[in-house]
Amino acid sequence: MKTKFVPRIYKKKNAPLYLHITGHSKRERLLLDIEVDHQYWSTEEQRINISIIKDEQLKKLYQDINLIIDNIDSKITNIKTVYRLSEIVLTPKKLKQELIDDLPRVNFCSFFQHAIDEEKKIIEPGTYRKLQSVLNKLKRYDDQVIFTDLTELWFQRYKVHLSKIGNKKTTINSNIKSIKKIIRKAIRMGIKIPCVLEDIKAGSTLGTKVSLDPFELKKLKAYYDSEFICDAHRLMLAYFLFSCVTGLRFADVMAIDKDAVTDDFIQFKAEKVDKMQSIALNKRAKEIINSCDDLFVKHFTNEYVNRELKVIMRNLGLKKKLTYHVSRHTFATSFLRAGGKVEKLQLLLGHSSIKQTMVYSHIVSAEANKEMFLLDNLW
């Protein structure tokens, strides 16, 4: 496989630069987004001859163009390396397509984006947003990482990086798990990586269930009812508090339209089970619905609501890290504190196993154990 940069010379001074690719008795041409003055072009070096340019401003421009050409050359080398290691025949047509598509078979971030975009129609919106968030974080770390870089050492360093930027252990494990999922897809397509994927351990993604205690819940409700709250925060809290008294997931709440709400029930299509469900509205849920006209009218992304909830907690002087999903945990612990049975809670939360629900029972039991120390005040 041979490649050559060739300016196509017309009558005008600046000539468009092409990449000529030959191999396997085939030839392809790729027009690059570069123009060069042909009088400065060195056919032997396939670069601009900077030494013969007198104008300093023009010299700086062509130095940058030479760097761009160097970068394209580097990408070509990476493509050849990955194809050779993967034992896949690289044709001029494939090389051209790789460069046009920004190296999806070579650059891991490009492949990641292609993979999740292809699955966008068949995966849940929340899953797509999560994978996109994982990718965005990876891009900020190294958007030029290629498959041959994915060694055990790379994974170790990336975990250290995620820890340094403040990610919790469960969040790091979840990111690694998502990255491994994309790599498996690449491996099925014949792409190889320089390590055994099974040796990369993601670890547990089950974190501590954070919930609000009665004091924190009352403080949020008091702020919701106050005259000082802005409309945007009031709507955010309306959604959050609604889930605190119903246990509904964010995706399910955002899929509800106003027409689905009746006096005593609300109907929605549950995202996880993909079927229509109906739940009874308790007194608190009705109060929130009746107090906020924009509820189930204006919809938001999970990321936006989480950012606003953090601002609200900071304004109220509450240090607990709040995300929308905390409302579901709060519903579960509040239900058990009020005397509800764990078997009923399992049905309300839609858990397939009682073990998932028992976590909340352990949280409430741990709180009860702390109350034992109140007896120390007897003497």
Side-chain angles (χ1 to χ4, degrees):
M1 179 76 66
K2 294 183 179 179
T3 56
K4 187 177 181 180
F5 296 97
V6 180
R8 187 170 183 180
I9 301 172
Y10 298 103
K11 291 182 179 179
K12 63 179 184 177
K13 191 175 182 181
N14 287 339
L17 191 63
Y18 283 80
L19 175 66
H20 287 201
I21 310 167
T22 56
H24 303 283
S25 302
K26 302 288 183 182
R27 181 185 176 190
E28 292 285 342
R29 286 196 314 166
L30 177 62
L31 175 62
L32 305 173
D33 190 20
I34 300 172
E35 286 190 350
V36 299
D37 188 334
H38 55 81
Q39 66 176 318
Y40 300 130
W41 182 256
S42 169
T43 304
E44 184 179 347
E45 298 294 331
Q46 294 184 57
R47 298 292 188 275
I48 300 290
N49 188 351
I50 303 296
S51 62
I52 63 174
I53 301 175
K54 304 300 181 183
D55 185 277
E56 288 300 322
Q57 191 172 357
L58 190 61
K59 184 181 290 188
K60 173 67 171 60
L61 171 65
Y62 281 129
Q63 282 174 338
D64 292 342
I65 288 177
N66 276 349
L67 286 174
I68 293 171
I69 297 171
D70 288 342
N71 186 42
I72 296 170
D73 247 346
S74 177
K75 287 182 177 182
I76 292 170
T77 301
N78 286 336
I79 295 170
K80 289 180 178 179
T81 302
V82 170
Y83 270 76
R84 184 175 180 83
L85 292 176
S86 300
E87 298 175 357
I88 301 172
V89 175
L90 179 61
T91 63
K93 187 175 182 179
K94 284 181 180 178
L95 177 55
K96 179 181 178 180
Q97 197 59 47
E98 290 283 3
L99 290 168
I100 292 172
D101 293 344
D102 196 22
L103 321 183
R105 187 176 278 273
V106 178
N107 183 299
F108 179 59
C109 290
S110 296
F111 182 90
F112 200 133
Q113 189 69 66
H114 275 255
I116 63 176
D117 285 346
E118 281 182 356
E119 294 185 3
K120 190 173 183 179
K121 293 181 180 179
I122 59 175
I123 61 177
E124 299 296 340
T127 303
Y128 176 82
R129 288 195 300 271
K130 177 187 173 183
L131 289 171
Q132 188 66 61
S133 176
V134 171
L135 174 57
N136 292 341
K137 201 180 295 184
L138 176 59
K139 282 181 175 179
R140 288 193 290 272
Y141 174 69
D142 183 5
D143 64 349
Q144 293 301 314
V145 61
I146 61 176
F147 279 100
T148 51
D149 292 334
L150 299 176
T151 62
E152 288 189 44
L153 181 59
W154 183 90
F155 277 98
Q156 291 170 10
R157 287 174 174 170
Y158 189 52
K159 287 180 181 179
V160 171
H161 164 75
L162 293 177
S163 179
K164 284 182 178 179
I165 63 174
N167 286 182
K168 291 183 177 180
K169 188 175 181 180
T170 50
T171 304
I172 295 171
N173 293 344
S174 179
N175 275 252
I176 298 301
K177 186 177 179 181
S178 296
I179 289 172
K180 287 181 66 177
K181 176 184 177 181
I182 300 300
I183 292 175
R184 285 193 191 94
K185 184 179 179 71
I187 290 173
R188 288 195 296 271
M189 294 174 61
I191 298 174
K192 294 183 179 180
I193 61 170
C195 69
V196 179
L197 193 60
E198 286 68 28
D199 291 343
I200 309 299
K201 305 300 181 185
S204 174
T205 57
L206 297 175
T208 304
K209 304 289 188 184
V210 177
S211 62
L212 299 180
D213 60 35
F215 168 78
E216 293 165 328
L217 201 52
K218 287 178 181 177
K219 195 160 186 178
L220 283 180
K221 182 62 167 63
Y223 180 54
Y224 175 77
D225 292 331
S226 75
E227 60 184 30
F228 307 106
I229 190 170
C230 66
D231 292 340
H233 282 181
R234 197 163 194 278
L235 182 54
M236 296 301 110
L237 276 183
Y239 277 119
F240 181 82
L241 293 172
F242 180 80
S243 286
C244 284
V245 294
T246 61
L248 293 187
R249 294 181 177 88
F250 176 83
D252 295 336
V253 171
M254 289 299 155
I256 295 172
D257 291 323
K258 202 78 169 179
D259 296 339
V261 183
T262 63
D263 291 338
D264 298 307
F265 288 89
I266 190 166
Q267 288 187 324
F268 65 98
K269 189 173 186 179
E271 183 184 61
K272 287 222 169 183
V273 295
D274 195 29
K275 65 180 182 180
M276 293 300 298
Q277 292 189 358
S278 179
I279 64 165
L281 294 173
N282 53 39
K283 179 181 176 182
R284 296 302 180 197
K286 291 178 183 178
E287 286 178 359
I288 295 167
I289 292 171
N290 294 330
S291 65
C292 186
D293 293 336
D294 286 332
L295 195 68
F296 310 128
V297 176
K298 293 183 178 180
H299 299 90
F300 306 94
T301 64
N302 198 8
E303 293 77 9
Y304 174 75
V305 174
N306 285 340
R307 284 198 302 270
E308 292 302 306
L309 288 174
K310 286 178 176 64
V311 172
I312 290 171
M313 291 292 278
R314 190 164 59 246
N315 291 347
L316 294 178
L318 297 173
K319 295 184 179 180
K320 190 168 286 182
K321 187 176 179 180
L322 196 62
T323 64
Y324 194 92
H325 202 65
V326 170
S327 62
R328 186 167 163 84
H329 300 325
T330 301
F331 166 78
T333 52
S334 299
F335 180 84
L336 294 176
R337 286 192 195 104
K341 297 193 178 296
V342 71
E343 296 83 3
K344 301 293 184 184
L345 179 60
Q346 179 192 357
L347 295 174
L348 290 170
L349 292 177
H351 285 167
S352 57
S353 170
I354 191 70
K355 290 181 180 179
Q356 292 175 271
T357 320
M358 286 301 295
V359 174
Y360 299 109
S361 182
H362 297 324
I363 293 171
V364 175
S365 296
E367 290 176 355
N369 281 331
K370 290 179 182 179
E371 299 300 313
M372 287 292 291
F373 294 99
L374 294 174
L375 295 176
D376 292 342
N377 297 324
L378 289 176
W379 290 278

